[in-house]
Amino acid sequence: MPRFPSVRDPVSFFDVFTVTAVSIAVVAAVLAVWHGSFVRIEMAVFTVLVFGWVVWAISRILERSVRGGKRNQ
């Protein structure tokens, strides 16, 4: 059974990729419909927040991987 990506507790590349792909689709859809400069600023802020989340998620996944690897040795 497929699982939904976890935003609070990312555990794999699937989580990061899915959230990133959905956020890109949302930004593209919003910018295709609305053309104001305020909307562009909001989408830029949203993109920066998603980028920050991606960095946090990847570092969390790697930390968990390192801890798991040390436990197995």
Side-chain angles (χ1 to χ4, degrees), residues 45-69:
V45 170
F46 178 72
T47 303
V48 168
L49 289 174
V50 169
F51 180 75
W53 179 86
V54 167
V55 170
W56 171 81
I58 290 173
S59 67
R60 185 173 171 113
I61 291 168
L62 291 175
E63 285 175 11
R64 185 177 294 156
S65 174
V66 167
R67 275 190 270 134

Side-chain angles (χ1 to χ4, degrees), residues 12-59:
S12 69
F13 174 74
F14 168 77
D15 296 329
V16 177
F17 178 75
T18 306
V19 170
T20 304
V22 168
S23 67
I24 290 171
V26 167
V27 168
V30 168
L31 290 177
V33 174
W34 291 292
H35 299 289
S37 61
F38 184 70
V39 172
R40 291 177 191 263
I41 293 171
E42 286 180 338
M43 291 299 102
V45 170
F46 178 72
T47 303
V48 168
L49 289 174
V50 169
F51 180 75
W53 179 86
V54 167
V55 170
W56 171 81
I58 290 173
S59 67

